[in-house]
Amino acid sequence: MDFQIGFVIAGLIVGFIVGLTGVGGGSLMTPILLWFGIPPTTAVGTDLLYAAFTKMGGIFVHHKKKNIDWSITAWLSLGSVPAALLTLWILNSIKTDISAINSIIKYSLGWALLFTSVAIIFKKKLMVIAQKYAGDKFHRESKTQNALTVAIGVLLGVTVTLTSIGAGALGTVTLFFLFPLLPTPKLVGTEIAHAVPLTLVAGLGHASMGNLDLTLLGQLLMGSLPGIFIGSLLSGKVPDLLLRNAIAIMLFFVGYNLIF
């Protein structure tokens, strides 16, 4: 693929939105790549590694601020990484029919976008409900809580490997329900810490199947890295609610069009 300024600009815009709101990542980038005419398999595989490299810097910052619960990250990874590997194996086993894989990914992407849009819109309300009904059991770890965390990891592992989205908005919302008393910065940091190994494993798996465009990845990162930096600097200066709702509405319509 030749150099195209459009991909650099796309990376810059998505990076800026992620830095500004914490929402966007794969849920914006994958539909944009599809719009550019990139095949679904290549779009997902490239976006997964794009997300992994982009969020690596986030781990360093959040760990320094002590915003990562490594125990929760470990339980999530225990479910998500094996689920990602199993999903990759299934995709690889039907690789002879590329049209079938593209169809599966496109349909899965549509549903993931719909759920993500709903999660973004009702994120704060869901968090309030979760905190309202939180009992003493949420103050400490329990076997049931750990099992549910692994189960959420499995769900995220399959969704992220198929569509490259879900680790952000869906992951954060599910963690809100399971750990409602955990401070929001720690939930966000934990989600980012979990997203890196998951997207890295899934991305490398897709790359091994030929679902990666290195030139495209380089152009996206060329724009996203400065975009995230600028967005982070302006974070809090632009109405967050307005941006999140606009993103959610856009994702809903993109998802709806992919499915129906």
Side-chain angles (χ1 to χ4, degrees), residues 20-129:
L20 200 63
T21 68
V23 173
S27 56
L28 284 177
M29 184 54 75
T30 303
I32 287 173
L33 293 179
L34 293 179
W35 182 77
F36 271 110
I38 304 297
T41 48
T42 304
V44 169
T46 304
D47 185 42
L48 282 166
L49 286 180
Y50 159 82
F53 292 132
T54 301
K55 290 187 175 183
M56 278 180 185
I59 284 188
F60 175 76
V61 175
H62 282 286
H63 178 66
K64 202 170 183 180
K65 292 182 177 180
K66 297 182 178 179
N67 284 343
I68 299 177
D69 189 315
W70 290 106
S71 175
I72 296 175
T73 299
W75 285 111
L76 283 170
S77 300
L78 189 62
S80 66
V81 173
L85 292 172
L86 179 60
T87 305
L88 287 166
W89 178 79
I90 293 172
L91 287 175
N92 190 52
S93 68
I94 58 173
K95 66 181 179 181
T96 51
D97 188 0
I98 193 68
S99 61
I101 298 178
N102 281 336
S103 178
I104 291 170
I105 289 178
K106 198 172 180 181
Y107 191 73
S108 301
L109 176 62
W111 281 110
L113 286 171
L114 288 181
F115 282 120
T116 301
S117 66
V118 173
I120 292 171
I121 291 174
F122 295 106
K123 183 177 177 181
K124 288 187 177 179
K125 289 185 178 180
L126 291 172
M127 185 180 74
V128 170
I129 293 171

Side-chain angles (χ1 to χ4, degrees), residues 9 33 62 65 79 145 195 205 216 234 260:
I9 294 173
L33 293 179
H62 282 286
K65 292 182 177 180
Q145 197 176 35
L216 173 61
L234 296 176
F260 306 103

Side-chain angles (χ1 to χ4, degrees), residues 231-246:
S232 298
L233 289 178
L234 296 176
S235 181
K237 296 182 180 180
V238 178
D240 182 67
L241 184 62
L242 179 65
L243 282 171
R244 284 176 179 269
N245 287 342

Side-chain angles (χ1 to χ4, degrees), residues 171-209:
T172 304
V173 168
T174 50
L175 286 179
F176 269 134
F177 269 102
L178 203 53
F179 303 95
L181 300 182
L182 204 64
T184 301
K186 208 157 192 174
L187 278 170
V188 174
T190 301
E191 179 275 314
I192 289 175
H194 166 248
V196 171
L198 171 56
T199 52
L200 191 59
V201 167
L204 290 174
H206 274 278
S208 70
M209 294 189 292

